[in-house]
Amino acid sequence: MDKYLSIDLDPLDPEEPGQGAEEGAVRGFGARKRNRHGRGRRGPMLDARLPGSRTREEHFEDLLVESAERLADRWGDRVTGIDFRLMLVPNAKVLDKAQATGSRVPWATSRPGRPGRPERITVYRRPIEQACPVPAELAEFVHMAVVEQLAELWAMDPQEIDPGYRGWGNGFGD
């Protein structure tokens, strides 16, 4: 074997400054490819193309984007100008308002726009996931929440926003 042959298994580039190439620098556990005894994680557990590699939050975000794109095909710039947000659960203020009115925990909330501030729709992941009886219907539940908020923002009937809309009490969650 050649005495000048060198194989560097370190993922850090010693030529780049600030990557711990200094003499005696210690890499953290996460920066190593394998742990000390060679039994650590070597790579991703699942291929990125498989459905299990996406987190629930990422999957839910995809459903929200899909719903917005579906509505943007019909309404164009009116939908693309809206600020869509995704939160895990509603905050205390929203929950208190729902309790005071005697309504269910909201799936989403909306805020009208003002000059310099676009309209906003905030979708809450956990209430929608809990209301959805079958995971395969989650996309339709997300779309229902977005359509309901658009109807409230634009003071229109949800059927006008999306003719294929099936509202709460029309086959979902009953």
Side-chain angles (χ1 to χ4, degrees), residues 43-105:
M45 297 297 281
L46 289 173
D47 186 12
R49 296 169 293 186
L50 295 175
S53 68
R54 312 263 307 152
T55 64
R56 285 190 308 187
E57 183 178 3
E58 291 171 335
H59 177 67
F60 199 89
E61 186 177 313
D62 292 343
L63 295 177
L64 179 60
V65 168
E66 190 177 294
S67 175
E69 287 175 348
R70 183 171 152 188
L71 292 167
D73 289 342
R74 181 173 169 87
W75 293 96
D77 291 339
R78 285 188 77 180
V79 172
T80 57
I82 294 175
D83 179 20
F84 289 92
R85 298 209 174 175
L86 180 60
M87 290 181 63
L88 182 63
V89 293
N91 60 25
K93 181 180 173 184
V94 173
L95 290 174
D96 290 342
K97 184 178 176 183
Q99 186 178 16
T101 60
S103 61
R104 63 180 164 84
V105 174

Side-chain angles (χ1 to χ4, degrees), residues 102-115:
S103 61
R104 63 180 164 84
V105 174
W107 293 357
T109 55
S110 59
R111 182 193 73 190
R114 290 191 294 204

Side-chain angles (χ1 to χ4, degrees), residues 111-128:
R111 182 193 73 190
R114 290 191 294 204
R117 188 177 84 175
E119 296 172 319
R120 176 184 294 166
I121 293 178
T122 305
V123 178
Y124 304 111
R125 180 171 66 101
R126 195 57 63 83
I128 294 176

